C-alpha cells in the first residue's frame, strides 16, 4: 500500500513540474510550485508513517509553514506587478 502511495505522489509531482514548465503565466507557476511542495511534504509524511518515525514530522511542519509564507509573498509580488 505504501508503494502505491509513492507512485501516486510521483505522478502528482511530475504533473506539477510539467505545469511549472508550461504554465502560461506566473500565477500558474506559483500554484504549481505550491502543489509540488505539498506533494513532497506528503511523501515525507508517508515515509514517516512507513518507518514509524516521528522525527521528520517537525521538518514537515516547518517546511509547510515556509511554503505557506512563500506563496503569500509570491502572490503579493504578482499582485503588485499587475498580473
Amino acid at each position: 500500500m505504501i508503494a502505491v502511495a509513492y507512485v501516486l505522489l510521483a505522478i502528482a509531482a511530475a504533473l506539477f513540474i510539467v505545469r511549472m514548465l508550461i504554465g502560461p503565466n506566473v500565477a500558474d507557476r506559483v500554484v504549481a510550485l505550491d502543489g509540488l511542495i505539498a506533494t513532497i511534504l506528503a511523501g515525507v509524511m508517508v515515509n514517516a508513517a512507513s518507518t514509524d518515525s516521528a522525527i521528520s514530522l517537525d521538518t514537515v511542519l516547518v517546511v509547510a509553514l515556509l511554503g505557506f509564507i512563500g506563496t503569500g509573498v509570491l502572490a503579493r509580488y504578482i499582485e503588485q506587478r499587475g498580473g
Side-chain angles (χ1 to χ4, degrees):
M1 195 59 144
I2 298 293
V4 173
Y6 282 133
V7 169
L8 291 175
L9 288 169
I11 292 170
L15 292 173
F16 279 126
I17 289 171
V18 168
R19 187 61 180 173
M20 279 182 12
L21 294 175
I22 64 170
N25 56 23
V26 178
D28 288 334
R29 290 186 172 104
V30 169
V31 170
L33 179 64
D34 195 35
L36 182 63
I37 291 171
T39 304
I40 292 170
L41 291 176
V44 171
M45 291 188 329
V46 167
N47 186 30
S50 68
T51 60
D52 288 332
S53 171
I55 294 172
S56 60
L57 296 179
D58 294 334
T59 305
V60 167
L61 182 65
V62 170
V63 173
L65 182 61
L66 290 174
F68 175 74
I69 291 171
T71 302
V73 168
L74 288 172
R76 180 76 159 201
Y77 170 73
I78 291 169
E79 182 182 78
Q80 287 180 354
R81 207 175 125 225

